[in-house]
Amino acid sequence: MSAAFRGMDVVSIRDFSREQVEHVLKLAEKMVPIAKGEERSVLLEGHVLGSLFYEPSTRTRLSFDAAMTRLGGRVLGFDQPTGASVAKGETLADTIRMIDAYSDVIVLRHPQEGAARLAAHFANRPVINAGDGAGQHPTQTMLDLFTIRKEKKKIEGNNVVIVGDLKYGRTVHSLSEALAMFGANLTFVAPPSLQIPKEHLKQIESMGHKPKMSTSLAEVVKDADVLYVTRIQKERFPDPAEYQKVAGTYRIDLDLLKEVRKDLIIMHPLPRVGEIASEVDSTPHAKYFEQAFNGVPVRMAILGLVLGGLK
Amino acid sequence: MKEFKVTPIRNGTVIDHINVGMALKVLKIVGVKEDVSSTVSVLIHVPSKKAGWKDIVKIEDRELDPKELDRIALISPNATINIIRDYNVAEKFVVEVPNVIRGIMKCANPGCITNKDEPVEAEFVVESKKPITLRCVYCDRITTDIAENIQ
């Protein structure tokens, strides 16, 4: 397994087999005490992570920084392209060639879809995609899978309800494909204009699954084991009144949770903007902050594997 | 009915069985512009036994290169190429859709990195040949609207 990971680019969840993802999740479990600061590690001492964030990010960037630092490595790069040669019009290809010479692994967040694949094309070092436009965000998918497995002991057979902007939501597409690969039962809840795109549905169906589609969260939430909530973006709606209507329909509050399963877990990639009422935070269902923490051990496992420190 | 007639060519290429309506795209692909130096005949909406209707393009004193053939295959997968030498058909073949398309089409996704000023050619994996369905190697976008994006 280690030979397959060392030097590997992490661009899309589609590049991974189920066995490979399971291996990452297993190693991530072992990383938890280091991620929490309970144990010290020098696994990646002397290694440098080149961190290029062309778009703002809080959790992804900081959890990569934390993961690398906790394993004894160093981080260099930028968290906004202004001031860098990027702002002077340098191509991504040239910036990548430069950071490739300064670091051992590259983490890239970029507004254009396909940017990480392009970076992987020009870099000799492994490239980890930290989100490319509306495209892929494979480490988010892995930490989501990690969270479900941790809370539910397994992924297979769980009823996962995914609600929100399923059309443009970056995390939803790769997550739903991965969940199908692991044998979870999927239900997509969204207004018709924001339902999951046909090509993703086709991809899921090609794995032998038939997801359910619904517009009503209240109807399907009772049988859910996992409720995955995503943000509905205001800018997708030409009419603000229409946005208010849709956003209100899918708001998660204590009232909605009256008849749910006791062990339902609620996840959200964050940031949230009113999709989940803060009154839900103190219920045992709320797992979104644990989910955000889980980004650290998962990214530790990935960094360790692609740099050859973990096997 | 008056017979439709275009004179045979001595040397050059006849592209037959072009999907009806695609002849002008074919002209664009083979680079026929105002400054053309030899005769080019274009027949649009010609009766065809196979497909009902078809287009035909005849280019004198020109043989096509492989990239041009790939482009034609993408917009008209049933097109046949007849290479004419001294009034005889020297070679005849059906165009073939390649498995990988590189540098002859742009990605339909305006947000794709290959549509920015980067030193790469757009590249596609052919997911299906009937109907032609392409997946961008960079952004994963599926495209079936080939004619709109061919370069």
Side-chain angles (χ1 to χ4, degrees):
Chain A
M1 195 66 80
S2 60
F5 274 106
R6 190 177 186 146
M8 183 183 178
D9 299 309
V10 181
V11 172
S12 163
I13 197 75
R14 288 182 186 174
D15 301 340
F16 290 84
S17 67
R18 180 173 171 165
E19 289 70 31
Q20 284 177 312
V21 175
E22 276 172 349
H23 188 62
V24 174
L25 303 186
K26 212 170 75 191
L27 287 177
E29 194 66 59
K30 292 185 184 159
M31 294 290 121
V32 171
I34 307 169
K36 285 184 174 165
E38 295 163 0
E39 287 175 22
R40 301 265 175 254
S41 170
V42 287
L43 190 76
L44 298 182
E45 193 173 28
H47 285 87
V48 175
L49 163 66
S51 169
L52 305 185
F53 277 75
Y54 287 75
E55 271 189 334
S57 157
T58 311
R59 268 154 300 277
T60 306
R61 187 174 61 81
L62 291 179
S63 66
F64 266 113
D65 282 13
M68 192 66 181
T69 313
R70 292 264 195 216
L71 291 175
R74 302 286 295 264
V75 181
L76 56 84
F78 53 78
D79 58 9
Q80 47 185 3
T82 48
S85 52
V86 177
K88 298 171 193 153
E90 186 175 60
T91 62
L92 176 61
D94 280 2
T95 308
I96 290 294
R97 284 178 176 126
M98 173 204 71
I99 199 81
D100 195 41
Y102 298 163
S103 57
D104 303 303
V105 57
I106 300 167
V107 170
L108 175 72
R109 155 82 53 105
H110 197 276
Q112 244 73 50
E113 284 138 59
R117 190 73 72 192
L118 180 133
H121 181 84
F122 286 98
N124 293 315
R125 311 291 189 176
V127 171
I128 301 174
N129 186 2
D132 55 346
Q136 290 274 334
H137 194 357
T139 62
Q140 176 73 44
T141 302
M142 289 196 199
L143 79 88
D144 290 342
L145 294 173
F146 181 82
T147 305
I148 295 173
R149 206 179 75 147
K150 194 157 182 274
E151 300 296 332
K152 295 286 180 189
K153 308 298 169 226
K154 64 183 175 82
I155 299 166
E156 198 173 347
N158 278 302
N159 294 334
V160 183
V161 173
I162 306 179
V163 62
D165 178 356
L166 311 185
K167 188 174 181 183
Y168 303 99
R170 158 164 62 198
T171 53
V172 169
H173 302 154
S174 17
L175 176 64
S176 50
E177 285 180 23
L179 284 170
M181 181 166 85
F182 274 87
N185 309 312
L186 296 170
T187 304
F188 296 115
V189 180
S193 60
L194 294 178
Q195 254 302 354
I196 193 109
K198 271 188 201 143
E199 58 188 79
H200 284 285
L201 203 57
K202 244 169 104 181
Q203 178 80 17
I204 291 163
E205 285 172 348
S206 73
M207 290 184 250
H209 295 271
K210 185 90 190 137
K212 286 186 214 141
M213 319 277 267
S214 177
T215 53
S216 163
L217 181 59
E219 246 170 50
V220 297
V221 78
K222 291 178 197 123
D223 298 320
D225 299 304
V226 178
L227 175 59
Y228 195 99
V229 187
T230 65
R231 190 158 56 96
I232 294 184
Q233 291 171 4
K234 212 174 183 172
E235 55 272 24
R236 307 291 183 206
F237 291 83
D239 179 1
E242 187 65 19
Y243 163 75
Q244 289 301 345
K245 210 173 95 191
V246 169
T249 313
Y250 299 123
R251 189 174 151 85
I252 318 297
D253 54 19
L254 291 182
D255 204 36
L256 181 90
L257 299 178
K258 270 181 190 157
E259 288 179 58
V260 298
R261 289 183 177 171
K262 243 184 176 170
D263 58 352
L264 167 80
I265 62 164
I266 302 173
M267 296 169 65
H268 192 302
L270 304 178
R272 61 174 161 172
V273 188
E275 301 88 34
I276 304 176
S278 55
E279 62 190 23
V280 177
D281 298 357
S282 55
T283 70
H285 303 297
K287 295 294 173 201
Y288 25 92
F289 298 118
E290 281 91 334
Q291 183 187 357
F293 163 76
N294 290 340
V296 180
V298 167
R299 288 173 176 128
M300 280 176 161
I302 292 167
L303 288 168
L305 282 166
V306 300
L307 287 170
L310 286 173
K311 296 195 190 312
Chain B
M1 196 172 79
K2 193 175 173 184
E3 201 181 339
F4 194 89
K5 202 167 179 181
V6 173
T7 49
I9 62 174
R10 180 171 183 172
N11 292 305
T13 305
V14 176
I15 311 163
D16 199 357
H17 301 289
I18 299 169
N19 286 5
V20 70
M22 287 293 163
L24 297 178
K25 290 272 180 194
V26 170
L27 289 184
K28 200 178 147 200
I29 288 168
V30 298
V32 172
K33 293 183 189 137
E34 298 81 14
D35 59 349
V36 62
S37 55
S38 55
T39 306
V40 175
S41 321
V42 181
L43 291 84
I44 294 176
H45 211 253
V46 181
S48 154
K49 278 181 201 153
K50 277 193 211 162
W53 301 98
K54 65 178 180 180
D55 290 355
I56 303 172
V57 170
K58 296 183 176 198
I59 310 161
E60 294 188 30
D61 303 320
R62 215 11 245 279
E63 292 183 16
L64 302 180
D65 69 40
K67 274 208 162 183
E68 289 171 322
L69 294 176
D70 284 352
R71 285 188 177 92
I72 293 168
L74 283 178
I75 59 161
S76 200
N78 301 317
T80 55
I81 307 293
N82 300 272
I83 295 172
I84 312 293
R85 291 180 194 134
D86 205 17
Y87 295 111
N88 291 314
V89 178
E91 278 180 60
K92 180 173 180 167
F93 53 92
V94 179
V95 289
E96 204 178 321
V97 179
N99 294 324
V100 176
I101 312 288
R102 199 174 292 124
I104 60 179
M105 218 184 96
K106 68 178 175 63
C107 182
N109 174 9
C112 179
I113 191 78
T114 58
N115 286 321
K116 302 293 155 189
D117 195 16
E118 295 290 339
V120 281
E121 289 182 323
E123 190 176 329
F124 304 87
V125 172
V126 179
E127 299 258 296
S128 147
K129 292 192 178 182
K130 265 183 191 175
I132 294 180
T133 308
L134 308 180
R135 183 173 55 79
C136 174
V137 165
Y138 289 90
C139 77
D140 275 345
R141 173 72 67 96
I142 302 285
T143 306
T144 48
D145 193 359
I146 314 296
E148 273 305 304
N149 295 296
I150 208 124
Q151 286 175 316

